[in-house]
Amino acid sequence: MNRFVDERSITVLPGSPSVIDVGEFSLSEGEDTIWVHMTSKSEGECPWPWSYGLFTWISENGRELGTVKVNGVCEGEVFRLGVGLAPQFRTGRLGFTPRNYNLKWIELGNPWYLSFRMSSGISNPGLLDPKNTATLISPFVPELPEGNAQPDYFFEDAFAYLLFNLFLK
């Protein structure tokens, strides 16, 4: 994952469209996730007590990376758009939808200033190679001298099970 780049800002005002366009964003080949560092810049009270919104990435195939609820945190917070699969299309537009109950506060003269910094990458590197799986459990299994049996293991759903063969003297 690259560090956060490509900063963009929006202001939510009375009369803002229901989905505010944050701009185009493209993923590289094989990438399946966009990380978004969102910062709320409000005048006066912080943290912004009244608002949250929905943040999404929309390609020609729809919201392929899902939609995430984001809060107005002044010091910033990182959110992840991704479902574990690379999207069919690699270019899309980022959109922010303020929720309806927020708009009353905004109409009363409290604009909501938001900045976004994005980064993309691979969230799920794929299935593990069983030959290299022992490196994941190496802190728990001592090094075995040549000629000894390797630990047995199997995967079931999202869990890895390690079978210990204990020989008592």
Side-chain angles (χ1 to χ4, degrees):
M1 178 178 96
N2 298 324
R3 294 309 308 156
F4 293 102
V5 295
D6 201 17
E7 184 165 345
R8 301 165 189 200
S9 298
I10 63 169
T11 303
V12 182
L13 297 167
S16 290
S18 60
V19 178
I20 300 170
D21 184 45
V22 181
E24 186 175 280
F25 191 83
S26 297
L27 289 92
S28 296
E29 181 71 35
E31 292 183 333
D32 64 0
T33 304
I34 299 172
W35 289 274
V36 180
H37 183 272
M38 184 184 113
T39 306
S40 178
K41 300 176 181 178
S42 62
E43 294 177 358
E45 199 167 348
C46 198
W48 183 265
W50 308 301
S51 300
Y52 73 94
L54 302 176
F55 193 79
T56 193
W57 179 80
I58 306 166
S59 73
E60 291 179 41
N61 203 34
R63 291 171 167 84
E64 293 184 89
L65 299 180
T67 300
V68 64
K69 177 182 174 183
V70 295
N71 300 300
V73 180
C74 295
E75 59 273 7
E77 187 169 354
V78 176
F79 300 95
R80 181 176 63 95
L81 287 171
V83 295
L85 297 172
Q88 181 178 359
F89 296 98
R90 295 193 330 243
T91 299
R93 300 203 66 80
L94 296 165
F96 178 78
T97 305
R99 301 313 298 158
N100 286 337
Y101 88 93
N102 305 329
L103 299 179
K104 186 62 177 172
W105 293 104
I106 292 167
E107 289 171 0
L108 292 173
N110 299 291
W112 193 15
Y113 306 100
L114 299 169
S115 67
F116 303 91
R117 292 184 297 148
M118 279 71 65
S119 184
S120 61
I122 299 172
S123 178
N124 181 3
L127 297 176
L128 298 172
D129 182 355
K131 292 178 280 189
N132 297 328
T133 306
T135 59
L136 294 175
I137 58 173
S138 62
F140 308 106
V141 178
E143 286 293 323
L144 297 174
E146 279 298 315
N148 287 332
Q150 295 296 314
D152 291 328
Y153 58 90
F154 67 93
F155 292 97
E156 184 177 295
D157 296 322
F159 298 99
Y161 294 90
L162 179 62
L163 305 173
F164 290 100
N165 294 321
L166 300 175
F167 297 98
L168 303 174
K169 293 185 181 184

